[in-house]
Amino acid sequence: MRKKLLAGNWKMNKTSGELAPFFDAFAKELGAAPKCDVLFAAPFTLLQKAQELAKPRGYLIAAQNVHAEASGAFTGEVSLAMLQDVGIAASLVGHSERRQYFNETDATVAKKTKAAQAAGVMPIVCIGETLAEREAHRTEAVVGAQLDAVLEGLGNPKDLGNLVIAYEPVWAIGTGRSATSAQAQEVHAFIRKRVVAVCGADAAAKLRILYGGSANPANIVELLGQKDIDGGLVGGASLKPTDFAAMVRAAT
């Protein structure tokens, strides 16, 4: 049985002084230790301190981005070894905002994913369609192409290792307009079926697929009740300890 994963993406929010009060409040709201995996994707400047505060409580800390190359003349970038140097073993890859604002392509996302897998860093790979693509009935074509680039780029697609896929319909990110549980399940089922075709049934059965896109305490129970939804990649609600704790409790 796949263990649920609730991942909070803080995006470009929070400073170091906010970390201890946040984790204290979150732990108090949560009460008992979570039975699902809990992860926070923090800005680079907060990774080390967040790791120090979160690890004793059993929470995971991830980066929001990483470079595929081991080192070199890539000003402003951070390598996998740099993440591991401060104890970070997971990273978002290919978030729609990276694709939209920083021109990341399916090819660069695939390269980052392969490098992360090889280094033992868990890649949480984001895929999803825009509103125009959905309205043009191209959801499966777009999501399938994004997924295929990642799967085909792996050294051994039969072994997905610690890969996580996050389906985030771009039209639902930060808009307050979430996909219905039926819409989300339909795409998640498509993703798993595609993984079966490329990687085999065993790999697909183990793959965790998260839903992201205005997930919140009001809709998380129904979303997590779907057969192929294994957790959530949560934006705004993860900045609020009360809201995110409620979502984690729902997952357990």
Side-chain angles (χ1 to χ4, degrees), residues 27-228:
K28 184 177 179 180
E29 289 286 342
L30 196 56
K35 295 181 181 179
C36 66
D37 287 335
V38 176
L39 178 149
F40 297 94
F44 287 132
T45 57
L46 304 182
L47 288 176
Q48 187 165 8
K49 186 169 182 179
Q51 175 80 344
E52 292 169 357
L53 293 169
K55 188 175 181 179
R57 291 182 163 109
Y59 315 145
L60 305 172
I61 298 297
Q64 297 176 8
N65 183 38
V66 69
H67 200 279
E69 298 296 334
S71 62
F74 303 105
T75 300
E77 292 294 326
V78 171
S79 72
L80 288 154
M82 292 172 182
L83 295 184
Q84 292 172 313
D85 187 47
V86 292
I88 304 302
S91 180
L92 302 184
V93 178
H95 190 279
S96 65
E97 290 158 3
R98 298 294 312 175
R99 296 176 189 256
Q100 179 180 358
Y101 301 128
F102 301 99
N103 302 315
E104 292 200 10
T105 65
D106 290 349
T108 58
V109 171
K111 189 174 181 180
K112 289 182 179 186
T113 303
K114 183 177 181 179
Q117 283 279 54
V121 171
M122 180 173 74
I124 303 172
V125 181
C126 304
I127 59 179
E129 82 283 13
T130 64
L131 181 59
E133 289 164 342
R134 171 165 279 271
E135 291 179 340
H137 306 289
R138 298 190 61 242
T139 295
E140 291 190 357
V142 171
V143 170
Q146 292 172 339
L147 180 63
D148 286 350
V150 169
L151 298 179
E152 291 168 3
L154 296 177
N156 179 11
K158 298 296 181 183
D159 180 12
L160 297 180
N162 58 5
L163 176 71
V164 175
I165 296 292
Y167 167 59
E168 291 197 301
V170 179
W171 48 272
I173 298 174
T175 65
R177 176 181 177 180
S178 177
T180 66
S181 57
Q183 288 174 322
Q185 167 57 24
E186 182 179 22
V187 181
H188 279 239
F190 165 77
I191 292 169
R192 202 173 303 281
K193 184 177 179 181
R194 192 87 159 203
V195 175
V196 169
V198 177
C199 307
D202 288 345
K206 296 174 183 176
L207 176 67
R208 291 193 287 188
I209 310 173
L210 313 182
Y211 171 77
S214 296
N216 57 64
N219 61 21
I220 192 65
V221 172
E222 188 173 353
L223 286 165
L224 294 181
Q226 305 304 307
K227 177 182 177 182
D228 291 294

